[in-house]
Amino acid sequence: RVPFMLVLFLVTFIDATVHQCYFIWTGRYLTSIGIPANWVMPAMSVGQFAEIGTMAVLGYFLKRLGWRWTMILGILGHAVRFFIYSIGEPTWLVVASNVVHGFCYAFFFASVYIFVYEHFPKDARASAQGLFMIMTNGLGAFVGGMASGWVVDHFTANGVKDWQSIWLTFA
């Protein structure tokens, strides 16, 4: 009955699919550009720290930019990070681009959960939240895992991954 909710549902699915690519392939990518394996998790943790900071200012941005623009910035964060990954250097910039993870998560996913809470009647909120969780952590994650594997296989020749093409495809 509410067309914009269908659009949000589909966009959430697509964003969750792309988001999964980050979790699956970033560790391998970081080692391929010279980051020692024992530094991969700290390098990726930059994103989790940024997520905490971004969550702290999310209310401000929602008030200033509104739902739509805040969510769009969250989605565009993936493209920015993956574009920087496709360049692959300097290494510090690749690691620093993980800060964008905070914007990707808070500005899109957290905003979606708050939006659903605000716009659904009390008796439907739990069901709506459940549907969005299925899209992000269920179906979106599953399809993202499968699709990203196909993309990486497509851009791998003789055991060598063409990371630039892989990340540009994800972007």
Side-chain angles (χ1 to χ4, degrees), residues 38-91:
N38 62 324
W39 281 97
V40 167
M41 289 313 297
M44 290 181 70
S45 292
V46 167
Q48 280 71 43
F49 284 107
E51 188 177 320
I52 294 166
T54 308
M55 291 292 275
V57 297
L58 178 59
Y60 171 81
F61 281 95
L62 283 171
K63 220 171 216 188
R64 294 281 294 177
L65 301 176
W67 295 106
R68 182 177 302 173
W69 283 107
T70 302
M71 289 180 195
I72 288 171
L73 286 176
I75 291 168
L76 291 176
H78 294 295
V80 168
R81 176 180 50 206
F82 292 160
F83 179 74
I84 291 170
Y85 278 19
S86 76
I87 296 168
E89 58 184 348
T91 305

Side-chain angles (χ1 to χ4, degrees), residues 15-25 136 140-145 148:
D15 195 59
T17 300
V18 172
H19 197 67
Q20 189 67 11
C21 301
Y22 166 78
F23 291 116
I24 294 173
W25 296 104
T136 57
F142 175 75
V143 171
S148 71

Side-chain angles (χ1 to χ4, degrees), residues 2-168:
V2 184
F4 76 86
M5 214 36 93
L6 175 61
V7 171
L8 183 60
F9 197 74
L10 293 172
V11 169
T12 299
F13 168 72
I14 293 167
D15 195 59
T17 300
V18 172
H19 197 67
Q20 189 67 11
C21 301
Y22 166 78
F23 291 116
I24 294 173
W25 296 104
T26 297
R28 293 176 207 178
Y29 169 67
L30 292 176
T31 58
S32 79
I33 62 168
I35 294 177
N38 62 324
W39 281 97
V40 167
M41 289 313 297
M44 290 181 70
S45 292
V46 167
Q48 280 71 43
F49 284 107
E51 188 177 320
I52 294 166
T54 308
M55 291 292 275
V57 297
L58 178 59
Y60 171 81
F61 281 95
L62 283 171
K63 220 171 216 188
R64 294 281 294 177
L65 301 176
W67 295 106
R68 182 177 302 173
W69 283 107
T70 302
M71 289 180 195
I72 288 171
L73 286 176
I75 291 168
L76 291 176
H78 294 295
V80 168
R81 176 180 50 206
F82 292 160
F83 179 74
I84 291 170
Y85 278 19
S86 76
I87 296 168
E89 58 184 348
T91 305
W92 68 264
L93 179 61
V94 173
V95 172
S97 73
N98 285 326
V99 166
V100 176
H101 174 79
F103 291 91
C104 295
Y105 184 81
F107 278 32
F108 185 75
F109 293 112
S111 292
V112 166
Y113 301 136
I114 297 167
F115 182 84
V116 168
Y117 182 84
E118 292 285 324
H119 288 85
F120 273 80
K122 281 185 178 182
D123 62 338
R125 283 182 188 152
S127 297
Q129 293 287 5
L131 282 173
F132 278 95
M133 287 302 289
I134 287 170
M135 293 312 297
T136 57
N137 297 327
L139 192 57
F142 175 75
V143 171
M146 298 296 291
S148 71
W150 295 328
V151 168
V152 171
D153 286 347
H154 180 75
F155 291 112
T156 301
N158 300 319
V160 177
K161 291 173 180 40
D162 176 1
W163 287 112
Q164 183 177 34
S165 297
I166 291 167
W167 293 118
L168 287 174

